[in-house]
Amino acid sequence: MEERPIEKRPAVVLLSGGLDSSTVLAEARAAGFAPRALTIAYGQRNDVERAAARRVAAAQGVVRHVELAIDLRAFGGSALTADLDVPKDRDPAAAEGIPITYVPARNTVFLSLALAWAETLGAFDVFIGVNCVDYSGYPDCRPEFLQAFETLANLATKAGAEGTGRFTIHAPLLKLSKDDVIRRGLELGVDYGLTHTCYDPAPEGLACGRCDACRLRLAAFERVGIKDPVAYAG
């Protein structure tokens, strides 16, 4: 009698199309999950991220890729969701305080939506690409936040209330440097040429090379000793 292949467990992976989330998607696959990718268009100032997420999801063979639109521009409060200038040409490591590119409650909203999808799938694993080493000062990238949300997930869901399963929020990049993220992604076969990181790309979609996100990325690739495969303006 022929043995049937073991069905992989589903997991929901938040996928922005950036360097970190693309690596996390690969981590979920390497851990033996059957990933469902969730990309959220939240009213950010460009649509390049969504195109990158589609490329990454296709390249990594996700079971299903959902693109969900919400509009955080209705609230503003960030250079990514309001008509505010994105900081350029500064040292991100030297910046003080929470940067203006922080989007209020974004990861709380994103994880809530990922949790909702996980519930409908009967999945108990949610992956997110936050990082507390090169994390740019965002409060919703801290370990304390993830621990608190995991507690919430197990209090606020049917499965958690009935004790039929326990939700886990996975953040495999949490304590890695950006250099180590890239090295790990290359080990897993991530094609970083498909990704997009820039906060303020040119109209044709090229990365600016000057915002905090670009500078962190470029510096990390330089330290790793390879050329960043994405195109930059200028």
Side-chain angles (χ1 to χ4, degrees), residues 129-165:
V130 296
N131 179 272
C132 67
V133 177
D134 290 329
Y135 80 108
S136 299
Y138 298 150
D140 54 0
C141 291
R142 293 178 296 172
E144 299 91 333
F145 165 73
L146 297 175
Q147 292 162 6
F149 191 92
E150 185 172 287
T151 299
L152 178 150
N154 286 292
L155 287 172
T157 52
K158 181 175 182 288
E162 294 180 345
T164 56

Side-chain angles (χ1 to χ4, degrees), residues 62-104:
V62 300
V63 176
R64 186 182 175 200
H65 181 203
V66 169
E67 296 182 41
L68 187 62
I70 60 175
D71 191 4
L72 297 182
R73 288 189 68 86
F75 304 144
S78 167
L80 303 188
T81 57
D83 295 326
L84 302 170
D85 291 335
V86 172
K88 301 281 182 68
D89 302 321
R90 66 176 186 171
D91 179 2
E96 296 182 357
I98 297 172
I100 199 168
T101 49
Y102 164 69
V103 179

